[in-house]
Amino acid sequence: MSLLTRTHKIILWLIILISVLSLGILLYLDYRKGEVLSVTDSKTVTVTGDIPHIIAIQIKPESRIPPAGNDELPLEIEIRPPGSLIPVTAISATATSTGDASLGTISSVLLPPGTYDIAVKGLSHLRKVFPNQNFDGPVVRTYTLTLPQLPAGDANPTADNYVNSLDISYLTLKLYGNDLRADLTHDGTVNSLDYAALLRNLSTSGDN
Ligand SMILES: [Ca+2]
Ligand SMILES: [Ca+2]
């Protein structure tokens, strides 16, 4: 009888010991689980989104009469990787009387932050490339591209980025009219002053 009682006691203690050990293991596992969860929770989640460029430029066409506040000009603008002739994006815009033109919003997916060349061709003007413009800066930015001024004279609608006799012929065709392409000085009349502006750049090519 006493032996059974002793056996019962041993079994009872074993059950208690196993229970305590099991509880300890469960508590430990729960603790580790919580630890892992808290580590996961504390991780910083970085979301990469589109931070677009909101761009404007300011340009200056040469030979305007009067020279100040007379900078209106339709423009074809290209943004290119440095040294490349292949644009990432091309935009048409018109400069105001102060030479300011908005290029609108350009996605940073299309134009990742970095350095780019801005190529500007004005109506009846030779193309100028303004190299190594920084697109890493503020989201809203105006690029001042007033030096050098845009050379006038590419008046013929072929717009071949070269000033030659074809451009002189076009001025002659439009003489004494107010054609926008031929009125290089932007004073409202095509006359000898426009020839003078053209001849300044005769046999000159614009940038590629
Ligand atoms: Ca030409
Ligand atoms: Ca004129």
Side-chain angles (χ1 to χ4, degrees), residues 154-168:
D154 191 17
N156 193 289
T158 54
D160 57 3
N161 201 31
Y162 181 58
V163 179
N164 65 3
S165 59
L166 290 176
D167 301 299
I168 295 174

Side-chain angles (χ1 to χ4, degrees), residues 156-193:
N156 193 289
T158 54
D160 57 3
N161 201 31
Y162 181 58
V163 179
N164 65 3
S165 59
L166 290 176
D167 301 299
I168 295 174
S169 299
Y170 187 77
L171 257 63
T172 305
L173 191 68
K174 302 296 180 182
L175 192 61
Y176 304 126
N178 61 355
D179 182 79
L180 195 60
R181 296 196 68 96
D183 183 15
L184 301 174
T185 59
H186 206 248
D187 58 2
T189 308
V190 180
N191 60 17
S192 61
L193 296 173

Side-chain angles (χ1 to χ4, degrees), residues 22-32:
S22 300
L23 186 63
I25 289 167
L26 286 173
L27 285 172
Y28 175 73
L29 288 175
D30 272 356
Y31 167 74
R32 289 305 306 265

Side-chain angles (χ1 to χ4, degrees), residues 1-13:
M1 187 71 186
S2 71
L3 185 63
L4 280 176
T5 304
R6 195 177 168 191
T7 304
H8 282 146
K9 279 182 179 176
I10 290 169
I11 291 169
L12 188 62
W13 277 112

Side-chain angles (χ1 to χ4, degrees), residues 80-87 117:
R80 307 167 174 175
S84 172
L85 300 181
I86 301 168
D117 296 346

